Amino acid sequence: MRQGYKSKDSKRQNADIDNATVAWANDYLPVFAIFSAQIDSDIVLRYRNNRCGILIGTMNGDPQISLYAFCEQVLGYNLADFFQRKSDEIKHEIHEVLETLLSAE
């Protein structure tokens, strides 16, 4: 799972594909869940060509493409609504973590 995937870092891609290969060898289905639409189409194609599933954080209604559509149509869970409901709590937790990390202790 990633928040976004703007990098075209081949080292990261190769590691992801290696992890997917291990997943297949252990009878798991490798699927990358990208929570935003920040991924280049050639990276998506590369992952799919290497037998990796990939769901992208778009509001597209296709559950084979959209993480949000997959969650709603396949799992019966409205992920977008979750983020809307929990937005204040998520922001608070992120603020607390950043404050701790950036404190001068």
Side-chain angles (χ1 to χ4, degrees), residues 1-4 33-37 55-58 67-68 79 83:
M1 295 188 153
R2 289 200 187 359
Q3 182 280 328
I34 311 298
F35 280 81
S36 76
L55 297 169
I56 302 165
T58 64
L67 175 61
Y68 296 99
L79 186 60
F83 284 120

Side-chain angles (χ1 to χ4, degrees), residues 8-59:
K8 285 197 170 191
D9 179 6
S10 63
K11 185 176 178 181
R12 178 188 291 177
Q13 292 173 37
N14 290 338
D16 285 345
I17 291 168
D18 287 346
N19 287 332
T21 301
V22 171
W24 275 113
N26 288 288
D27 294 325
Y28 291 107
L29 176 64
V31 177
F32 292 93
I34 311 298
F35 280 81
S36 76
Q38 296 177 336
I39 186 166
D40 209 83
S41 60
D42 59 335
I43 297 172
V44 172
L45 183 60
R46 181 168 186 225
Y47 283 11
R48 288 188 177 144
N49 286 341
N50 281 280
R51 298 178 8 149
C52 303
I54 185 162
L55 297 169
I56 302 165
T58 64
M59 297 310 283

